Amino acid sequence: MKWVCHFPRAPWGPGLGRVFQSAVGRIPFLVHWSWPHRGERPLGLSRAFVRHHGSSAGSGPLPGRHGQVSQGISASEAVQRHRQNLAQWFSRLPQEERQFGPTFALDAVHVDPVIRESTPSELLRPTAGLALDHQHPLASLPPLALSQLFEPDACGRQVQTVVLYGTVGTGKSTLVRKMVLDWCYERLPAFELLIPFSCEDLSSLGPTPASLCQLVAQRYKPLKEILPLLAAAGPRLLFVLHGLEHLNLDFRLAGTGLCSDPEEPQAPAAIIVNLLRKYMLPEASILVTTRPSAIGRIPSKYVGRYGEICGFSDTNLQKLYFQLRLNQPDCGYSAEGAGVSATPAQRDNLVHMLSRNLEGHHQIAAACFLPSYCWLVCATLHFLHAPTPAGQTLTSIYTSFLRLNFSGEMLDSTDPSKLSLMAYAARTMGKLAYEGVASRKTYFSEEDVRGCLEAGIKTEEEFQLLHAFRRDALRFFLAPCVEAGRQGSFVFTAPAMQEYLAALYIVLGLRKTALQRVGKEVAELVGRVGEDVSLVLGVVAKLLPLRALPLLLNLLKVVPRVFGRVVGKSREAVAQAMVLEMFREEDYNNDDVLDQMGASILGVEGPRRHPDEPPDDEVFELFPMFMGGLLSAHNRAMLAQLGCPIRNLDALENAQAIKKKLGKLGRRALPPSELLDHLFFHYEFQNQRFSAEVLGSLRQLNLAGVRMTPLKCSVVADVLGSGRHTLDEVNLASCQLDPAGLHTLRPVFLRARKLGLQLNSLGPEACRDLRDLLLHDQCQITTLRLSNNPLTAAGAALLLEGLAGNTSLTHLSLLHTGLGDEGLELLAAQLGRNQQLQELNVAHNGAGDRAALTLARAARDHPSLELLHLYFNELSSEGRQALRDVGGTAEGGARVVVSLTHGTAVSEYWSVILSEVQRNLNSWDRGRVRRHLELLLRDLEDSRGDTLNPWRKAQLLRVEGEVRVLLEQLGGPGS
């Protein structure tokens, strides 16, 4: 767990000219940039865009003396409406990009991936190994720019057909969208008309005859009137054929006859073949994108130039992408319009840390070679550091990432099994991932990889599927290890992806023992014939006196139930393994999984049990989180679109098995980071009823020391905020909470009896939320600890407003909160408005004699206050004595604690005072603490000299020794 440019796919359907009807439900995620609607952007290219990304302006064939498409005002208007419709279609943001802000513009973060020219001989060269290395054989050649795609080749021949190919995630769709939108905004003058086709859309038509003109008119209504002029456009007409792997093309004359008439109906595949043959519209320019496995479907003699899309093979391109993406102003806003979560300085710091990690951690740079994984890194950082849209989970980010890259694509459109690419990946890569998790390893040999890929392959069809997967998608999941001493091994491109695929492999039920496989077949067979056999045996048993027949009859009924229990036991075993992974004692000193993920991306290593030694084994704490997340309804719906459906019954049985195991092992007291991991599991699962049943026994929420980011606050509030049982204590000391976090966690606070918010740097602005919390009609807090927060007198005034209307609070600690004289005087004036308070701690607040005496007199007259802490304030000897007198004169009044002594005896609260000093020794001002301790030591020595009681002398000497130890720790005189 050490650490896309993702783009909408494009079924450019027949309704493109009409208003798009379902902006969220079925938006094909084709590319990585989004452009404003018509009229919102000038035709010229912004200087920043040109400087960083260049333009495809000027690309295309050299202009010749060909007729123009726009022959008159009506034709010109038709082309302009076509531009506007295309721009509007390609401008729509998918739901996954809306998380980055309401006005987030993808065109501002565009970085061109590297394109390198290749030759047919290189494409057909067999590979010796797994061919996972992304280095191109001709890496020394300069890359191709978009403007060079249709330039004449090395022999001076005009290039009319260009084939761009690349594995999943390299950015094929990105380039298509860039060229289309460049043409829409008149930055592609080499082409007067551009007509894009989605081969996935064309393949859905099957063999239904339609002419080229009909296909164009159905999809682009404004072009209907100028279709007769297509033939006159020459090379200034550009067809874009995106995703050729979806079409099964047959270039044999016996399979696809010649046809040059654009108005003659024939199968869509036949039209594409004749366009590529240059038999139909022979002078038109054609741009094709495809996966590597489908390159051979077009004979090389029909292709003028091959271009391999190599992604971000240069680390500088990765840094540029991250800088542009993460510095977007709207990246600090949630989709619901919540406040900014990161300042520009914080965003710059994220970019700096990420860039530094790219330079020093070459494995991350190898992963970000794929633009898709750059998108995943940015989406993960946004999830960790920005307000999270409702219902978004880490599992949903990874599932969306896979859906956006694979959609519902088939592994091989020519294969009759129509197996989805993601289903094949889950079966093969999921097996490898799970075996790695089970054996606690993240590095795999070539034999390991081959064993999972080639297991069970027996037929030629299965071998062809494997070949297609290896060429198209294997590099998406696996990368060569670049770490020193690990050369020759392979790792998952993103470490968390290994845990995700392992979890997917389990929840899909792909892990089966031999007994389960045989048992399932036997149970199904017996279930099919059991009723008929039972009927026959029942008749025979009545006619013949065979005692064994009833026994056979019962056995037939028992067989399905026996194997059903075997499957149930397997689910329980998986649940047991998942829960044990979640609560491994070896991981108790780790950071929580969210901090681990952020540190792995940004290059900050978390603490280990043995800092001088590497860990004995790998940590897979995300594996159980992903298992829970994949069982949620939202993720199951997305997996079904990927061709990996999870049956409702299977999900229910898995959830019941997990709940059973969590109920047994989840009651133990957990360290704060592990407890947060437990809550994060429930957050990923997104099932409130399940969480309420499992967490019903939780009474103490101790997250002390966990850095509570906005995401973690949302996780805790989402999981525990809707519960009904009371929490005895909520401890959030040293959690770096801010007012926004307090507001998010209010539903949890309303369930707490004791609330600890010490050492959180909460200022006066946080007291507004605390005031509203105390005034809430459901507040049941009895103890509120706010020590070591800079509340000041302004914050105390707001707290007093809450105290005046609160009826539950009995213990309030304002130790070391910077109240000063003004704060204590405010407390003295308003204390009587609350009639339930029993203990008030205002020690170490820099208050003088007058303010302390005023508060002590108010406490003396308070009907319920029993104890007032005033030690470590700026009190004189006379002031301390006066406070002792006030605290000791009134019967039933509040006791005032100002020193370690009470008269000539040790105060019964001496251990409370010294424990507070010991606990805050490193956070308080050491000089000031030393001075107060020396005064307390002098009081102890004076009291010891004034008493003749040997027992009291012994007690005073003991406390003196404790004070001297503290002074020695502070570097002061111990005697």
Side-chain angles (χ1 to χ4, degrees):
M1 200 179 49
K2 302 173 184 173
W3 68 260
V4 278
C5 288
H6 190 76
F7 325 113
R9 301 192 178 274
W12 297 304
L16 189 61
R18 301 190 296 271
V19 177
F20 189 62
Q21 296 177 350
S22 177
V24 178
R26 176 117 167 82
I27 298 179
F29 202 8
L30 172 66
V31 263
H32 203 88
W33 301 281
S34 178
W35 299 86
H37 294 287
R38 56 182 178 182
E40 295 182 4
R41 186 177 183 89
L43 296 180
L45 195 62
S46 69
R47 286 179 293 176
F49 189 85
V50 172
R51 180 170 63 255
H52 290 308
H53 325 299
S55 171
S56 54
S59 65
L62 297 176
R65 299 181 56 84
H66 297 277
Q68 295 187 349
V69 173
S70 303
Q71 302 287 334
I73 297 178
S74 60
S76 176
E77 291 178 350
V79 172
Q80 188 61 29
R81 286 199 302 270
H82 178 57
R83 292 181 191 268
Q84 294 169 352
N85 288 342
L86 278 182
Q88 186 175 11
W89 171 260
F90 283 95
S91 297
R92 299 188 178 274
L93 280 175
Q95 184 66 39
E96 286 74 13
E97 292 292 3
R98 295 178 187 178
Q99 65 177 310
F100 292 101
T103 59
F104 180 78
L106 287 171
D107 63 317
V109 298
H110 165 58
V111 179
D112 282 337
V114 174
I115 306 174
R116 298 194 185 277
E117 188 168 1
S118 59
T119 63
S121 60
E122 296 167 9
L123 299 177
L124 299 177
R125 181 183 299 138
T127 57
L130 292 177
L132 287 176
D133 196 350
H134 61 267
Q135 296 298 328
H136 194 274
L138 300 179
S140 59
L141 295 178
L144 283 173
L146 289 179
S147 59
Q148 299 172 319
L149 290 180
F150 287 92
E151 288 185 352
D153 60 15
C155 299
R157 292 189 296 264
Q158 186 65 46
V159 173
Q160 291 182 299
T161 302
V162 176
V163 174
L164 297 180
Y165 66 94
T167 60
V168 175
T170 50
K172 300 182 294 296
S173 302
T174 303
L175 293 178
V176 170
R177 182 167 192 163
K178 176 170 173 53
M179 292 194 71
V180 170
L181 290 173
D182 276 354
W183 180 80
C184 290
Y185 293 102
E186 301 184 12
R187 292 192 294 267
L188 199 59
F191 300 108
E192 190 170 346
L193 180 61
L194 185 146
I195 301 177
F197 281 114
S198 166
C199 294
E200 183 180 7
D201 172 36
L202 297 179
S203 68
S204 66
L205 301 178
T208 305
S211 68
L212 176 62
C213 292
Q214 288 175 334
L215 293 177
V216 173
Q218 289 172 357
R219 284 150 185 79
Y220 309 110
K221 189 175 180 180
L223 300 181
K224 185 176 182 179
E225 301 300 328
I226 62 172
L227 289 176
L229 303 176
L230 289 182
R236 298 178 66 82
L237 168 63
L238 174 63
F239 286 101
V240 177
L241 307 177
H242 177 61
L244 189 74
E245 65 272 3
H246 292 95
L247 287 175
N248 187 11
L249 303 182
D250 187 355
F251 279 81
R252 298 173 304 144
L253 289 177
T256 303
L258 299 176
C259 178
S260 61
D261 186 0
E263 297 185 1
E264 181 177 337
Q266 51 184 330
I271 294 176
I272 300 301
V273 167
N274 281 296
L275 281 174
L276 293 171
R277 283 172 172 168
K278 293 301 176 182
Y279 202 78
M280 182 183 295
L281 302 180
E283 295 183 335
S285 301
I286 301 175
L287 176 67
V288 179
T289 67
T290 183
R291 298 202 301 253
S293 64
I295 296 176
R297 298 183 189 179
I298 305 177
S300 59
K301 64 180 180 180
Y302 298 125
V303 180
R305 174 172 284 127
Y306 289 97
E308 180 183 6
I309 304 175
C310 299
F312 295 157
S313 56
D314 185 353
T315 306
N316 291 325
L317 294 178
Q318 302 171 9
K319 292 180 182 179
L320 177 60
Y321 175 83
F322 290 130
Q323 181 180 359
L324 295 172
R325 165 76 68 154
L326 295 176
N327 276 323
Q328 286 293 295
D330 279 340
C331 282
Y333 289 84
S334 69
E336 288 78 22
V340 177
S341 66
T343 64
Q346 291 171 329
R347 292 197 294 266
D348 288 340
N349 186 50
L350 282 179
V351 174
H352 173 71
M353 295 177 70
L354 183 55
S355 298
R356 185 180 60 184
N357 200 29
L358 284 172
E359 294 171 357
H361 193 171
H362 301 295
Q363 196 63 57
I364 295 180
C368 291
F369 146 75
L370 291 173
S372 295
Y373 276 97
C374 293
W375 183 92
L376 182 62
V377 168
C378 290
T380 304
L381 286 176
H382 190 269
F383 175 73
L384 294 174
H385 295 280
T388 305
Q392 185 184 61
T393 64
L394 185 64
T395 311
S396 70
I397 288 178
Y398 274 75
T399 308
S400 298
F401 170 67
L402 293 175
R403 182 183 65 174
L404 297 175
N405 279 279
F406 293 98
S407 186
E409 290 189 14
M410 293 176 291
L411 177 57
D412 186 355
S413 61
T414 63
D415 186 74
S417 65
K418 304 300 180 185
L419 180 65
S420 80
L421 181 54
M422 190 60 222
Y424 193 90
R427 190 178 71 196
T428 54
M429 293 293 96
K431 177 180 174 61
L432 181 68
Y434 179 75
E435 290 180 354
V437 170
S439 58
R440 313 200 68 75
K441 68 176 183 179
T442 57
Y443 303 95
F444 303 92
S445 66
E446 185 168 341
E447 291 72 20
D448 295 333
V449 179
R450 289 186 182 277
C452 291
L453 288 175
E454 299 174 2
I457 292 183
K458 299 177 181 178
T459 65
E460 179 65 20
E461 291 75 13
E462 292 172 341
F463 180 82
Q464 292 298 329
L465 290 177
L466 172 60
H467 177 72
F469 180 79
R470 284 178 54 176
R471 296 202 63 186
D472 295 344
L474 185 58
R475 180 62 183 86
F476 181 85
F477 294 103
L478 292 180
C481 183
V482 297
E483 296 181 13
R486 298 279 188 177
Q487 285 79 7
S489 60
F490 303 93
V491 295
F492 277 85
T493 310
M497 184 60 73
Q498 177 182 351
E499 298 173 76
Y500 179 93
L501 290 173
L504 182 62
Y505 184 71
I506 295 299
V507 299
L508 288 176
L510 298 175
R511 177 181 175 269
K512 292 183 175 66
T513 63
L515 177 61
Q516 288 175 320
R517 288 192 293 267
V518 175
K520 181 180 179 182
E521 296 175 1
V522 172
E524 291 177 352
L525 177 62
V526 172
R528 287 194 298 267
V529 304
E531 294 183 1
D532 297 334
V533 173
S534 298
L535 180 61
V536 173
L537 290 178
V539 174
V540 173
K542 292 180 179 179
L543 297 177
L544 299 175
L546 298 177
R547 297 181 180 181
L549 290 180
L551 178 60
L552 288 174
L553 183 62
N554 292 330
L555 284 176
L556 286 173
K557 296 179 180 179
V558 167
V559 168
R561 284 180 288 178
V562 169
F563 285 105
R565 291 183 180 180
V566 170
V567 174
K569 290 294 183 182
S570 175
R571 296 187 192 280
E572 291 185 5
V574 170
Q576 176 80 3
M578 189 212 76
V579 173
L580 289 176
E581 184 66 43
M582 188 185 303
F583 298 122
R584 291 180 76 229
E585 293 185 5
E586 293 86 346
D587 302 335
Y588 275 11
N589 290 340
N590 290 348
D591 289 342
D592 59 82
V593 291
L594 296 175
D595 276 354
Q596 289 180 41
M597 175 162 282
S600 67
I601 295 175
L602 299 176
V604 180
E605 295 296 335
R608 293 173 177 170
R609 296 193 63 176
H610 306 288
D612 298 330
E613 300 178 7
D616 293 334
D617 55 10
E618 298 288 344
V619 176
F620 296 99
E621 293 184 279
L622 273 178
F623 170 63
M625 314 300 169
F626 283 138
M627 274 196 67
L630 289 171
L631 293 176
S632 68
H634 176 63
N635 283 299
R636 285 192 286 122
M638 285 194 288
L639 287 173
Q641 298 173 15
L642 287 168
C644 301
I646 301 175
R647 296 188 308 167
N648 291 332
L649 182 60
D650 290 340
L652 178 62
E653 291 176 349
N654 277 311
Q656 289 175 343
I658 293 173
K659 181 170 66 175
K660 182 178 179 181
K661 298 302 178 182
L662 279 178
K664 293 180 179 179
L665 298 177
R667 296 190 183 97
R668 66 178 66 172
L670 297 172
S673 61
E674 293 298 306
L675 179 56
L676 183 66
D677 290 346
H678 188 192
L679 298 179
F680 186 61
F681 166 81
H682 290 275
Y683 177 79
E684 291 291 311
F685 197 10
Q686 293 284 300
N687 189 320
Q688 291 186 353
R689 180 178 176 181
F690 175 92
S691 299
E693 293 176 0
V694 173
L695 298 173
S697 60
L698 182 66
R699 289 294 180 267
Q700 290 189 336
L701 180 64
N702 180 16
L703 297 177
V706 174
R707 185 173 60 93
M708 293 300 291
T709 62
L711 172 62
K712 296 177 187 176
C713 292
S714 299
V715 167
V716 175
D718 186 79
V719 174
L720 295 177
S722 59
R724 297 181 179 179
H725 70 278
T726 300
L727 296 171
D728 294 335
E729 182 176 4
V730 174
N731 185 3
L732 295 174
S734 302
C735 289
Q736 302 181 35
L737 277 171
D738 56 12
L742 294 180
H743 182 77
T744 302
L745 290 168
R746 182 185 297 178
V748 181
F749 295 162
L750 291 174
R751 296 175 51 197
R753 291 291 179 85
K754 296 180 180 180
L755 178 58
L757 298 173
Q758 311 95 296
L759 290 164
N760 277 296
S761 300
L762 297 174
E765 63 280 0
C767 293
R768 298 182 184 277
D769 291 284
L770 294 173
R771 175 197 61 188
D772 297 340
L773 173 65
L774 292 172
L775 292 175
H776 199 283
D777 56 357
Q778 296 180 10
C779 178
Q780 50 186 326
I781 297 174
T782 60
T783 301
L784 179 59
R785 303 187 187 94
L786 296 172
S787 54
N788 298 300
N789 288 296
L791 303 180
T792 71
L798 293 169
L799 283 176
L800 286 169
E801 295 178 17
L803 277 175
N806 182 270
T807 59
S808 64
L809 192 65
T810 58
H811 296 73
L812 175 63
S813 175
L814 298 175
L815 170 73
H816 193 222
T817 52
L819 299 182
D821 288 342
E822 182 183 358
L824 264 64
E825 290 172 356
L826 280 172
L827 282 170
Q830 303 291 329
L831 193 60
R833 298 176 63 185
N834 180 282
Q835 302 297 309
Q836 287 77 33
L837 200 62
Q838 298 175 11
E839 182 178 351
L840 177 62
N841 189 340
V842 289
H844 201 1
N845 271 292
D849 293 348
R850 184 174 60 84
L853 281 170
T854 303
L855 180 58
R857 294 190 182 100
R860 178 188 60 190
D861 300 332
H862 195 276
S864 62
L865 195 63
E866 299 174 356
L867 191 61
L868 175 64
H869 299 264
L870 284 169
Y871 51 87
F872 274 34
N873 280 294
E874 303 302 317
L875 304 174
S876 64
S877 299
E878 296 78 8
R880 291 199 298 274
Q881 186 57 48
L883 287 171
R884 291 192 188 98
D885 295 339
V886 171
T889 55
E891 294 183 2
R895 292 284 302 274
V896 180
V897 182
V898 293
S899 178
L900 295 175
T901 61
H902 184 69
T904 59
V906 174
S907 171
E908 60 181 301
Y909 302 105
W910 72 269
S911 61
V912 175
I913 298 174
L914 293 185
S915 63
E916 286 286 358
V917 176
Q918 182 68 56
R919 187 161 44 245
N920 298 284
L921 204 60
N922 296 323
S923 60
W924 287 354
D925 180 75
R926 300 175 73 87
R928 188 175 176 184
V929 173
R930 184 186 303 112
R931 179 165 52 84
H932 283 294
L933 285 176
E934 290 170 351
L935 291 174
L936 293 178
L937 183 61
R938 192 174 303 122
D939 283 346
L940 289 168
E941 292 171 343
D942 292 342
S943 297
R944 181 163 51 86
D946 293 340
T947 182
L948 299 176
N949 188 320
W951 175 247
R952 288 185 177 180
K953 283 181 177 291
Q955 287 182 314
L956 289 167
L957 280 171
R958 177 193 171 192
V959 178
E960 282 182 39
E962 298 284 347
V963 175
R964 293 180 194 279
V965 170
L966 290 174
L967 282 171
E968 289 177 358
Q969 294 179 15
L970 289 169
S975 60

